[in-house]
Amino acid sequence: MNQSSIMACSKHHLPELLVIHNPYSVFTRFESDFSIKFHILKAWESPLPLDQFLTTHARSVRSMFSYFNFTQVNADLLRLLPALELVVTPTVGVNHIDLTECRRRGISVANAGAAYSEDVADCAVGLFIDVHRRLSAADRYIRQRLWGIGTPDDRRNYPLTGRKLGGKRVGIVGLGSIGYEVAKRLEAFGCSISYNSRREKPCVSYPFYSDVCELAANNDSLIICCALTDQTHHLINKQVLSALGREGVIVNVGRGAVIDEKELVRCLVHGEIRGAGLDVFEDEPHVPKVLFGLDNVVLSPHIAAFTPESFQTVSDVMVANLEAFFSDQPLLTSFIDD
C-alpha cells in the first residue's frame, strides 16, 4: 500500500465533520486545524446534488460546521441528516440555526462563546470614538485637500463637530460577554454605564432598564451588543430612536436587523439623532446608499471580530468542542437558548 493510500485509509477512520457550503476564507482559516483530527466532508466539492450527497452520508454524519449567511440549519436540512448530533459554528450569534428544531431532535449547538468578545468590544469602542470625534470625517477632509484652502482664518474653520467622551451616558443593549467588555473599556473614558438585557445581572452594579425605550431616554448613546432573535428583531425602532434624541449616537456590533434600518436612515438624514457607527446591516452586504454621503455615520463591513488572534482562538474552541463531543465529554461552549 502506497503512502497516499495509507493516508486516505487513516483519514477515513477520523470522526466525520460535514461542511456543506464553502465559506471562502473563513473555513480556509480553520481547515488545517480541523483536517488533522477530523475527516472533513466537503459537500460543495461533490459532483452529486446536495440532497444525494447528504443521503449518501446520512447515517454516518454526527457533526457539522455551519457559518451564518452560508448554511441555514433548518428543518429541511436536518431531515436529511438523521444521525446528526452536533452543529458547531464559529459565530456568537446563532440566528442561522433553527434552535427549536435542533432541540426537538436532540441536536446540540456549540458557538464561539467568548472567543471574539474583546475584539468586538474594541471595534465597538472604536466606532463610538470615531462617531463622537468625527475622525473619519476629518480624515476625508484632509484627503480631499480642503485643509489649508482660503485665508488664514478659513484654514482654522474646520467644523467644530467633535464631542467629548468623558461624562457620556452610555446604554448597552445586551450585557453578555461582549457588552461587558464594552462597558469596562468605556468606564476608563469616564463614561457612565447602564444596560438592558433579557434579565438583570446581579453580578454588576450598572443600572438596569427592563425597557429599552427607557434606557434610550436616559442615555446619550446606545451600543447594540445583543443577539438577533425573534424578540430583538427591530428592537431599536422609531420609538427608541426618538427617545435617544437629537444628540444621541448609536453603535451596532450585534446584528443589523436588531435596528429598524429604514427608520435609522430616516433619523440620520433628518438630524433626529446625531450619528451612528455601524459594523452590521440588515441586508448584508447591501448598505443603504444614502449613508455613504453622511459625515455623521461611520461604516464597517462586519469585521468587528476579524483578527488573526480571534480566529485562532475560535478555531481552538471549535476543535475542543468537537473533541469533547466525540469523547462523550461536556461541550465547552454549548449554546443555551434561555
Side-chain angles (χ1 to χ4, degrees):
M1 185 180 289
N2 60 33
Q3 187 66 26
S4 60
S5 299
I6 293 171
M7 288 178 65
C9 184
S10 62
K11 192 174 186 180
H12 284 282
H13 281 84
L14 296 173
E16 291 181 340
L17 175 66
L18 172 66
V19 185
I20 293 179
H21 300 105
N22 179 14
Y24 307 115
S25 62
V26 175
F27 186 72
T28 302
R29 289 175 180 271
F30 305 134
E31 186 172 359
S32 59
D33 292 339
F34 283 14
S35 59
I36 297 170
K37 299 184 177 183
F38 310 104
H39 174 41
I40 303 171
L41 298 173
K42 301 177 182 179
W44 74 89
E45 291 185 350
S46 172
L48 295 174
L50 179 59
D51 58 344
Q52 290 183 30
F53 179 86
L54 296 180
T55 299
T56 302
H57 297 280
R59 299 295 171 186
S60 62
V61 170
R62 298 175 61 205
S63 68
M64 72 172 289
F65 172 98
S66 171
Y67 188 67
F68 87 106
N69 286 356
F70 288 92
T71 306
Q72 295 295 316
V73 181
N74 53 31
D76 291 337
L77 177 65
L78 295 176
R79 200 175 296 119
L80 298 172
L81 297 168
L84 189 69
E85 298 176 51
L86 174 67
V87 179
V88 293
T89 177
T91 61
V92 177
V94 293
N95 51 294
H96 57 297
I97 300 171
D98 186 335
L99 296 173
T100 301
E101 186 65 16
C102 284
R103 191 182 305 112
R104 189 181 75 80
R105 292 175 174 271
I107 298 170
S108 299
V109 175
N111 68 347
Y116 300 122
S117 297
E118 292 185 353
D119 291 315
V120 176
D122 289 345
C123 184
V125 172
L127 290 169
F128 177 82
I129 294 169
D130 198 334
V131 176
H132 277 289
R133 295 305 306 269
R134 298 287 173 90
L135 299 178
S136 290
D139 177 81
R140 287 191 294 273
Y141 183 80
I142 291 179
R143 291 177 189 274
Q144 292 166 7
R145 306 294 193 270
L146 297 175
W147 194 30
I149 294 175
T151 69
D153 284 340
D154 291 336
R155 294 172 196 165
R156 290 189 288 270
N157 280 348
Y158 179 76
L160 192 63
T161 53
R163 293 289 193 276
K164 180 181 175 67
L165 300 178
K168 286 288 182 289
R169 300 170 303 158
V170 181
I172 296 176
V173 181
L175 197 72
S177 59
I178 293 171
Y180 183 63
E181 291 294 334
V182 171
K184 287 197 303 182
R185 284 156 173 73
L186 290 181
E187 278 190 299
F189 284 96
C191 298
S192 60
I193 308 296
S194 55
Y195 72 101
N196 164 270
S197 269
R198 286 178 293 183
R199 61 182 61 84
E200 190 169 359
K201 312 280 185 179
C203 57
V204 300
S205 59
Y206 309 131
F208 169 72
Y209 290 89
S210 59
D211 184 89
V212 74
C213 251
E214 203 176 331
L215 179 75
N218 286 278
N219 281 285
D220 307 305
S221 302
L222 290 181
I223 299 184
I224 314 304
C225 301
C226 63
L228 177 61
T229 65
D230 290 341
Q231 291 72 38
T232 62
H233 182 266
H234 285 187
L235 176 68
I236 310 302
N237 54 24
K238 181 178 181 179
Q239 290 73 31
V240 175
L241 293 168
S242 177
L244 185 60
R246 299 181 69 86
E247 289 299 308
V249 163
I250 192 160
V251 170
N252 191 2
V253 291
R255 285 286 189 267
V258 174
I259 300 178
D260 182 339
E261 191 168 81
K262 288 182 180 177
E263 191 58 36
L264 173 64
V265 170
R266 189 192 67 78
C267 288
L268 288 164
V269 169
H270 293 285
E272 295 180 19
I273 64 170
R274 185 168 177 271
L278 307 171
D279 182 58
V280 289
F281 304 88
E282 195 157 358
D283 184 26
E284 295 177 5
H286 308 292
V287 177
K289 292 181 181 177
V290 68
L291 297 180
F292 299 161
L294 299 179
D295 271 347
N296 59 339
V297 178
V298 181
L299 306 172
S300 172
H302 202 152
I303 56 165
F306 283 24
T307 67
E309 295 87 352
S310 66
F311 268 72
Q312 186 57 56
T313 300
V314 81
S315 181
D316 294 343
V317 166
M318 286 191 294
V319 168
N321 275 317
L322 286 162
E323 287 184 318
F325 167 72
F326 286 112
S327 302
D328 293 322
Q329 299 297 316
L331 299 175
L332 274 70
T333 59
S334 178
F335 183 85
I336 301 172
D337 182 27
D338 58 357

